Amino acid sequence: MAAMAVGGAVTVGGTEKGYSDGIAGAWVGTSLGLGLIALGILVSSKLSKLSALSINEVIERNYGASARVFGAVLTIIYTVSLTVVQVVSMGAIVSGIFKIPKVWAIIGSGLVVVFYTFLGGMWSVTMTDIVQFIIKTLGVMILVPIFVLSNPAVGGIAGFVQHIPATHWNLGAYGFSGTLHWILLYVPGLVIGQDMWQRIFTAKTPKIARWGTITAGIYAIFYSLAAVMLGMFVCAAGFKLSDPSLAFETGISAFLPTGLVGLLLAAALAAAMSVASGTILACSTVIYNDLYLRFVKGQKSSEASAVSDGQDAKNDVKAEAANEEAKKNHGGNDVWINRGIAIVVGIVIIALSLLISDIFKALDLAYGFLSGCVFIPVIFSFVLKKISRFAGFASLFASTAAVSVTMIYGELTKQTEFAVGGNWPIIFGISVGLIVYLLVTALDKHKVTPNVSADEVEPAKDAVAVADAS
């Protein structure tokens, strides 16, 4: 879970923020950690009991098929955008290592991730995450502080404090609006993120799911602080970078011995690869379970779609049994269809990565739609005792319109607070979604009990179809 959550945005992006903005850059990873902690406290134990592989299966059980398809599209936007962030980060690192054009570095990095995700599914992703987690922890959190503080260019702790600009120690440098941006972006999105849920589904017990998620959140906070400190070390050493995104590579190349430079670059690549492989798999799972099975094979039951990858829940006995049953019904080719989808998704992501150079722009787009649109209907299905089957679809539709219109308006008028990366798209999305959800729920006289139990696998009747029939 920790390897999945802490990727290129926190490693490379966090170092960039530390160099440019100082300790306030830690809000990026801290917000991510808070989101994981909230996920662990609120819903992780319930998620581990679900016989589901997709967040949108939960949406369908409560709000019907139309809401599930709508949610699937939003989840695809999220996972694709988030993977683009990681591939761009990997491309920047590989380009610096081998002194090759960034275009070829992005293509090569993307192909490597797609290849091993395709071959092994979730099992390979989990195994490589263990190695990547060890490298990241050893490199970024332990070796960097030791060697940097012993480097004459920094001058130890006293020299570091003396040379760093006073403004870099201001934790509130972003102001209320800037700090709120990262909290709004990450916390709701992490609570209902498909990539996070998919890891929770593989937990052996609810206790492991809860405490594993909470511990991963705490780890993310400390890891992000280490990345930000590296950026501040680069600043204190007097490096003048025209491109702050090079702060990570500059720092480790300048401060560490040659052999350890390779290890730290591997740590950064590992951080990005962990997230990229997980989000590619999450995206292909959504496409397979929520779109392919429904529209290509005509299979509408979420229970029947219990397999998206033969390796997806290797340690979960119930999921393994469901996998075997699904294979009997649909044939082993379905596993390869899912992995074929992963290849197509990977190619699309590589192409998009070549068009996007701003890591945080893609990150804002990913979490903007997830936090602004999907959070309200999903979280209410866990916390409310009675819900309206119409409310989920209405909330998804209205909030998506609000986020999209606000972003388009901001981009056209060049008002950054309303554009991609601003606070208002998420604020409007959550607000409109909340109002519409509560209004529809209040007006609906036929409320139902939320269906989030593994024993309650019957999906809700499609709200749109019911409305048409009436």
Side-chain angles (χ1 to χ4, degrees), residues 18-19 148-149 152-165 168-169 229-240 255:
Y19 174 82
V148 168
L149 291 176
V154 177
I157 296 178
F160 170 64
V161 174
Q162 179 182 354
H163 291 104
I164 200 74
H168 274 47
W169 291 112
M229 291 302 294
L230 175 58
M232 294 176 68
F233 289 142
V234 174
C235 179
F239 289 98
K240 305 297 181 183
F255 297 136

Side-chain angles (χ1 to χ4, degrees), residues 368 386 440:
K386 292 289 183 178
V440 174

Side-chain angles (χ1 to χ4, degrees), residues 24 50 78 81 95 114 119 162 247-248 314 363 379 387 415 422:
L50 290 174
Y78 159 70
S81 300
S95 177
V114 172
L119 286 183
Q162 179 182 354
F248 182 85
K314 202 173 185 73
L363 190 68
I379 201 66
I387 62 172
Q415 298 185 54

Side-chain angles (χ1 to χ4, degrees), residues 177-311:
S177 177
T179 304
L180 180 65
H181 167 72
W182 293 110
I183 295 175
L184 286 176
L185 193 71
Y186 268 137
V187 174
L190 265 294
V191 171
I192 47 94
Q194 166 68 21
D195 46 345
M196 298 296 107
W197 281 34
Q198 198 155 316
R199 297 304 172 95
I200 290 174
F201 289 145
T202 64
K204 288 184 178 180
T205 66
K207 184 177 180 180
I208 291 176
R210 174 181 291 272
W211 288 107
T213 306
I214 293 174
T215 304
I218 296 172
Y219 171 86
I221 294 174
F222 283 101
Y223 182 91
S224 67
L225 182 60
V228 167
M229 291 302 294
L230 175 58
M232 294 176 68
F233 289 142
V234 174
C235 179
F239 289 98
K240 305 297 181 183
L241 303 179
S242 58
D243 183 0
S245 67
L246 299 176
F248 182 85
E249 180 191 353
T250 301
I252 64 172
S253 298
F255 297 136
L256 300 184
T258 302
L260 291 178
V261 169
L263 179 63
L264 264 294
L265 289 174
L269 285 172
M273 290 172 67
S274 294
V275 180
S277 57
T279 48
I280 288 175
L281 192 61
C283 185
S284 63
T285 299
V286 169
I287 294 174
Y288 178 86
N289 282 309
D290 301 335
L291 302 180
Y292 173 80
L293 287 181
R294 180 174 301 277
F295 295 109
V296 177
K297 305 198 73 172
Q299 178 179 310
K300 301 182 184 300
S301 170
S302 60
E303 182 182 24
S305 64
V307 58
S308 66
D309 190 313
Q311 305 289 340

Side-chain angles (χ1 to χ4, degrees), residues 13-226:
T15 306
E16 174 186 344
K17 290 292 185 182
Y19 174 82
S20 302
D21 307 328
I23 197 68
W27 279 111
V28 178
T30 298
S31 298
L32 185 149
L34 292 175
L36 285 176
I37 292 171
L39 173 60
I41 293 173
L42 293 175
V43 296
S44 64
S45 60
K46 291 184 178 180
L47 289 181
S48 65
K49 299 176 183 178
L50 290 174
S51 57
L53 293 178
S54 162
I55 180 178
N56 300 301
E57 290 185 42
V58 177
I59 291 178
E60 181 180 17
R61 291 177 187 180
N62 293 283
Y63 307 115
S66 296
R68 175 175 181 169
V69 173
F70 206 106
V73 173
L74 294 173
T75 304
I76 291 169
I77 293 174
Y78 159 70
T79 52
V80 168
S81 300
L82 188 58
T83 313
V84 167
V85 173
Q86 313 309 323
V87 175
V88 172
S89 298
M90 288 187 291
I93 297 170
V94 172
S95 177
I97 296 174
F98 298 105
K99 309 302 179 185
I100 61 176
K102 191 174 181 179
V103 169
W104 293 111
I106 288 175
I107 293 174
S109 301
L111 288 176
V112 169
V113 175
V114 172
F115 179 71
Y116 82 73
T117 303
F118 165 77
L119 286 183
M122 178 62 81
W123 188 241
S124 72
V125 171
T126 303
M127 290 298 99
T128 53
D129 275 358
I130 294 174
V131 177
Q132 293 161 3
F133 173 81
I134 294 172
I135 294 175
K136 286 191 297 185
T137 303
L138 178 64
V140 177
M141 298 184 68
I142 299 176
L143 294 180
V144 163
I146 293 174
F147 282 92
V148 168
L149 291 176
S150 63
N151 191 290
V154 177
I157 296 178
F160 170 64
V161 174
Q162 179 182 354
H163 291 104
I164 200 74
T167 54
H168 274 47
W169 291 112
N170 183 8
L171 187 60
Y174 292 150
F176 175 78
S177 177
T179 304
L180 180 65
H181 167 72
W182 293 110
I183 295 175
L184 286 176
L185 193 71
Y186 268 137
V187 174
L190 265 294
V191 171
I192 47 94
Q194 166 68 21
D195 46 345
M196 298 296 107
W197 281 34
Q198 198 155 316
R199 297 304 172 95
I200 290 174
F201 289 145
T202 64
K204 288 184 178 180
T205 66
K207 184 177 180 180
I208 291 176
R210 174 181 291 272
W211 288 107
T213 306
I214 293 174
T215 304
I218 296 172
Y219 171 86
I221 294 174
F222 283 101
Y223 182 91
S224 67
L225 182 60

